[in-house]
Amino acid sequence: DHREALVLACDDSTFVILNRYPYSNAHLLVVPRMHTGDYAALEATTRAALAEVVDRAIRVIAAAYKPDGFNVGMNLGLAAGAGIAAHLHWHVVPRWNGDTNFMTTCGEARVLGEHLFATYDKLRPVFAE
C-alpha cells in the first residue's frame, strides 16, 4: 500500500516519499531507485529525472501548502549527516517565515501541526494530476 509506505509518486527511475521524521509538514524525499550513496554512480538520465522530480515536488508543495520558501539538498556520506550512507536522496523541505523554534534546534524534538497521513492525503492527489 503506497499510503502506508508514504509513497506519493513513482516512475521507472525515481520515487517521492514523505519523510517519516520531518522537519516540517510536507517534508519530502526524492529518491533514485538505484541503491547508491555515490552521486557520480547515477546515470545522466537518472540525474536529469531526479532534477525534474525535485522541481515537481517543489511545485506540488507550493500549490498545496503555500510556504514562504524551501530548503532543498542532500547529505552525501555519514560525515555529512546521511542517515543511510549507501542510499542518497534529496530533501525538499517547505519553510515559512518564523517557523524556526527551540524544539528542533535545542530540544531535539519536532513539532508538526499535521499527521503524516493527513499530509499524504493532501499531496497525493496533486502528484496524481
Side-chain angles (χ1 to χ4, degrees):
D1 178 359
H2 279 187
R3 187 173 188 266
E4 288 295 318
L6 302 174
V7 176
L8 290 163
C10 56
D11 61 30
D12 291 340
S13 59
T14 69
F15 59 97
V16 179
I17 59 175
L18 284 172
N19 189 336
R20 287 201 181 272
Y21 305 101
Y23 284 103
S24 69
N25 291 326
H27 177 169
L28 306 183
L29 304 177
V30 176
V31 186
R33 288 188 181 265
M34 179 183 177
H35 292 278
T36 183
D38 181 7
Y39 183 76
L42 296 173
E43 293 181 8
T45 55
T46 300
R47 288 193 307 270
L50 286 161
E52 289 298 320
V53 174
V54 167
D55 176 69
R56 184 171 179 219
I58 291 168
R59 287 184 283 113
V60 165
I61 295 170
Y65 283 86
K66 313 270 189 278
D68 297 315
F70 288 88
N71 290 116
V72 178
M74 68 173 89
N75 304 326
L76 295 173
L78 291 176
I84 302 172
H87 196 83
L88 59 85
H89 56 269
W90 281 255
H91 292 262
V92 180
V93 185
R95 300 298 302 271
W96 290 266
N97 292 325
D99 70 359
T100 56
N101 63 50
F102 78 95
M103 295 299 287
T104 297
T105 56
C106 300
E108 296 183 17
R110 297 178 183 156
V111 178
L112 299 173
E114 184 172 76
H115 190 277
L116 283 175
F117 287 144
T119 304
Y120 181 92
D121 293 341
K122 191 173 195 175
L123 291 177
R124 178 67 181 115
V126 185
F127 266 103
E129 291 175 358

